[in-house]
Amino acid sequence: MEYLLAFLVGGAICAVGQLLMDLTPLTPAHVLVLFVSLGAFLSGLGIYEKLVKIGGAGATIPLTGFGYSLVSGVFEEIDAKGAVGILSGVFKNTSMGIAAAIFFGFLMALFFNPKE
Amino acid sequence: MGAQDPNLDKKLYYWRVQQKKPRPPVIRNTLLAFTVGGLICVLGQAVLAFFQSLGMTAKEAAGPTASVMVFLGAFFTGLGWYDELGKFAGAGSVVPITGFANSIVSPAIEFKREGFVLGLGARMFSVAGPVLVYGTVTAVVVGIIYWLTKL
Amino acid sequence: MTRSKKVGQQTFMFSRPLPIIGTATVVGKKEGEGPLGEYFDQVVTDPLFGEKSWEKAESKMVRTAIQLAMQKVNLAYGDLDFMFGGDLLNQIIASNFAARDVPVPFYGLFGACSTYTEALSLAGITLDGGFAARVLVTASSHYQTAERQYRFPTELGVQRKPTAQWTVTGAAATIIGEGGSGAALTCTTVGKVVDMGIKDVNDMGSAMAPAAVATIKQHFEDTGRGPDYYDVIATGDLGSLGKALAQEMLAEAGYDLSKNYTDCGVLIFRPDQDVHSGGSGCGCSATVFSGYFYSGLLSGQYSKVLLVSTGALLSPTSYQQGESIPCIAHAVAVEKV
């Protein structure tokens, strides 16, 4: 069941992205920026949390989920430490993903060359 | 193009183009994006379940799951498969975090030829950088509001 | 007092036909597999062409095309008075760097994808003016070098729009002047920059079509010729959408091109080669003319060809700043002699 929900929620988020790319002049880069900001904004309103409870990875794997991780870290840190959490929380829950992206990105660039 | 108002000419030409322009196959693209994006999330769910089976909570497992997905996106980009997937999956492979990895690895690989520092290093975030910038800015602004409401 | 060679507003009639001595073309794998594959001299299957970068590969293609052309017509560098060449890259490095190995006085040109007819036009004027006996003309483009400069890294998994075009990987060299026979340049119509406000960088055909229409109309008005004068009128790289737009606008202006109009970007690929609207790039009209149309002129399949290469004069900086796309088209008439 949780797999089906992940499929439906994740698929739906990607479908919205596709509609934006096909029907508006937005480029993929614009859609990604929009999605991460939208995810952060909806997390601030407490809406995205509910979607994560329903969709699991379907809500956390799309880039909106990255926005959710940014904000959830900020909220956790604010709750624990007060105002410093506004900045210290940003990469709390996202540091692993970002570090992985930089490290694996470097590694791949080391070993691979662009294909045709 | 005639002696009339050039702005009118441009407007008329714009409409001429709009009428002739082939439309992207929106329904097909959306269904493919839904399916591929959904399947990538199912894979993510399976990875999440694996880490949970090691005794992690869902929250603790989120970071490792993201890292594994990032690795997969990076690896398939290195193999030259991710852009092929992107051709037919569209947003289905752009929006998941694997697409974020693709957006980091693809310039890194390509600009390696301009050197490791000013090429690979500097260009790595040419596409993903804006995502971090606007994600961070939004999160900080949301955080300030949250902090103010708690005072 | 010499008689003016200028007729009408923008057309220059050469006082004598300026014969093409020979041509050579080097293209990539996809172009070699396309419908015109057999007309190209060399097909390079490796996009790196044995070099360390795509830019170096493009430059090597230009060099190779020049060498092939010189061999075919049995000329030495000392026989050439000028080289006119260009490409799409910043600071036209493919041509500039190829010219390092070509000891011939060199003019580097940038006319985006119109570069080939821009160079032919200048070559014609130089020859007819008596400033040269033989001139070498080159133009090149390369899919990967153009993609990374104008759009995204090639491994980025993005979908292309149906109006997008595929940059041709290829270089052509054409030698014109004394000792040539078969086909000759007879006149040229030099284009003006036209900007109809199109901003969509995924739709070059629509941006360039008005420039092609303006130059073709001007050519007919200046020369008094009609579409029927030519066996074929070929635009450079409007693609299927731009071609349809150009044909429609010319029809509204009273010129029926339905029988003999084509576009090099439509000719060079099959629709099933995943190229969307068709081919583009300096190499597109350069290789299609030097390979396909030139051999058609020699074999007698064509006797009068009007080549109208079209260029979109944008840069990544200009479109990021929200500028529309200025475009240009230059026409050159090549006739059997």
Side-chain angles (χ1 to χ4, degrees):
Chain A
M1 188 60 196
E2 59 190 2
Y3 287 97
L4 181 67
L5 282 169
F7 178 75
L8 292 177
V9 171
I13 293 172
C14 293
V16 172
Q18 185 68 39
L19 288 171
L20 286 172
M21 291 197 307
D22 278 353
L23 301 178
T24 70
L26 296 177
T27 67
H30 288 96
V31 171
L32 291 184
V33 166
L34 187 72
F35 269 32
V36 76
S37 300
L38 200 68
F41 179 72
L42 292 176
S43 306
L45 297 177
I47 298 170
Y48 208 84
E49 178 93 48
K50 290 180 185 131
L51 196 63
V52 173
K53 290 226 168 69
I54 301 167
T60 54
I61 294 295
L63 221 61
T64 41
F66 187 70
Y68 165 73
S69 303
L70 291 168
V71 166
S72 64
V74 170
F75 283 10
E76 286 162 23
E77 285 281 290
I78 290 173
D79 289 339
K81 298 176 186 162
V84 287
I86 296 170
L87 292 175
S88 70
V90 173
F91 294 119
K92 184 173 182 265
N93 294 340
T94 51
S95 59
M96 213 171 155
I98 294 172
I102 294 174
F103 181 69
F104 293 136
F106 180 77
L107 215 59
M108 296 308 155
L110 221 49
F111 289 115
F112 291 103
N113 286 311
K115 307 287 182 292
E116 199 186 341
Chain B
M1 314 237 110
Q4 30 178 330
D5 174 21
N7 284 326
L8 178 68
D9 271 348
K10 285 184 183 179
K11 265 186 206 145
L12 290 174
Y13 185 65
Y14 178 80
W15 287 112
R16 184 197 289 275
V17 171
Q18 293 307 310
Q19 305 218 314
K20 271 221 156 38
K21 211 175 195 172
R23 305 273 154 221
V26 178
I27 294 173
R28 179 178 168 272
N29 283 353
T30 307
L31 284 174
L32 279 169
F34 184 92
T35 311
V36 174
L39 287 175
I40 292 174
C41 292
V42 168
L43 183 66
Q45 187 71 39
V47 176
L48 188 75
F50 168 75
F51 283 116
Q52 282 177 302
S53 75
L54 299 179
M56 294 183 193
T57 65
K59 199 178 164 324
E60 287 167 339
T65 304
S67 308
V68 169
M69 296 306 283
V70 162
F71 173 79
L72 291 175
F75 187 59
F76 288 125
T77 303
L79 291 176
W81 295 353
Y82 210 85
D83 64 320
E84 300 294 326
L85 179 67
K87 266 184 201 164
F88 82 102
S93 59
V94 170
V95 170
I97 197 165
T98 46
F100 182 70
N102 169 251
S103 77
I104 288 171
V105 177
S106 55
I109 289 183
E110 191 160 309
F111 284 92
K112 186 169 58 165
R113 288 173 188 144
E114 277 79 35
F116 276 89
V117 175
L118 296 176
L120 190 165
R123 300 293 194 122
M124 195 178 228
F125 281 91
S126 59
V127 189
V131 172
L132 290 183
V133 171
Y134 290 100
T136 302
V137 169
T138 314
V140 169
V141 170
V142 168
I144 291 171
I145 295 168
Y146 177 71
W147 177 69
L148 287 174
T149 58
K150 280 180 52 125
L151 286 179
Chain C
M1 205 32 208
T2 50
R3 198 168 51 90
S4 172
K5 290 165 182 169
K6 184 171 171 181
V7 292
Q9 299 291 316
Q10 290 162 243
T11 304
F12 302 88
M13 288 288 206
F14 302 132
S15 53
R16 59 195 155 87
L18 305 166
I20 295 174
I21 306 171
T23 67
T25 49
V26 179
V27 298
K29 180 164 174 272
K30 199 174 184 114
E31 293 71 19
E33 289 165 353
L36 305 183
E38 57 178 305
Y39 293 98
F40 302 125
D41 295 306
Q42 188 175 340
V43 177
V44 179
T45 47
D46 170 20
L48 278 171
F49 201 1
E51 295 287 318
K52 283 202 171 72
S53 76
W54 292 320
E55 287 77 10
K56 286 181 179 148
E58 181 176 346
S59 200
K60 187 177 173 185
M61 286 184 152
V62 178
R63 235 159 46 223
T64 310
I66 295 171
Q67 282 160 2
L68 280 174
M70 307 277 288
Q71 279 165 19
K72 274 167 125 182
V73 300
N74 212 2
L75 284 176
Y77 289 128
D79 300 323
L80 303 175
D81 298 304
F82 286 111
M83 168 178 171
F84 291 102
D87 55 85
L88 288 175
L89 302 181
N90 292 337
Q91 289 80 39
I92 53 169
I93 51 173
S95 309
N96 287 344
F97 285 40
R100 282 196 295 209
D101 303 319
V102 182
V104 173
F106 169 64
Y107 282 117
L109 305 175
F110 183 84
C113 314
S114 73
T115 303
Y116 184 62
T117 50
E118 182 186 15
L120 283 181
S121 183
L122 284 167
I125 290 167
T126 313
L127 286 164
D128 196 39
F131 297 98
R134 287 180 211 88
V135 176
L136 166 67
V137 161
T138 69
S140 70
S141 54
H142 188 292
Y143 172 72
Q144 279 90 351
T145 62
E147 275 304 301
R148 68 191 302 228
Q149 176 176 309
Y150 284 100
R151 283 172 279 269
F152 298 113
T154 54
E155 294 298 326
L156 192 67
V158 292
Q159 229 163 20
R160 297 162 69 84
K161 299 270 187 222
T163 50
Q165 289 174 254
W166 187 279
T167 306
V168 166
T169 301
T174 308
I175 304 170
I176 309 154
E178 235 167 65
S181 60
L185 273 56
T186 55
C187 69
T188 178
T189 301
V190 182
K192 294 178 181 169
V193 173
V194 174
D195 186 338
M196 289 302 280
I198 297 295
K199 292 186 175 179
D200 185 354
V201 292
N202 291 308
D203 185 10
M204 292 296 162
S206 300
M208 295 190 293
V213 169
T215 299
I216 294 171
K217 261 167 66 180
Q218 195 65 49
H219 178 78
F220 291 150
E221 281 169 26
D222 288 349
T223 58
R225 294 171 184 173
D228 297 336
Y229 180 85
Y230 294 100
D231 299 316
V232 62
I233 296 168
T235 44
D237 56 351
L238 295 185
S240 47
L241 173 61
K243 176 174 178 272
L245 285 164
Q247 193 170 329
E248 185 183 278
M249 286 187 282
L250 282 164
E252 286 168 15
Y255 298 108
D256 175 19
L257 269 72
S258 56
K259 291 189 295 291
N260 55 353
Y261 173 47
T262 188
D263 179 77
C264 299
V266 173
L267 288 175
I268 194 165
F269 295 120
R270 285 188 316 275
D272 64 327
Q273 284 184 294
D274 190 32
V275 293
H276 302 273
S277 203
S280 67
C282 306
C284 184
S285 61
T287 57
V288 170
F289 178 82
S290 298
Y292 174 68
F293 285 123
Y294 180 62
S295 69
L297 282 159
L298 292 185
S299 71
Q301 186 190 353
Y302 301 116
S303 64
K304 293 183 175 72
V305 175
L306 185 69
L307 182 69
V308 190
S309 299
T310 40
L313 305 171
L314 81 167
S315 84
T317 307
S318 76
Y319 75 71
Q320 282 173 359
Q321 292 182 353
E323 274 275 14
S324 55
I325 305 168
C327 297
I328 195 159
H330 302 294
V332 172
V334 186
E335 303 183 37
K336 197 169 168 57
V337 286

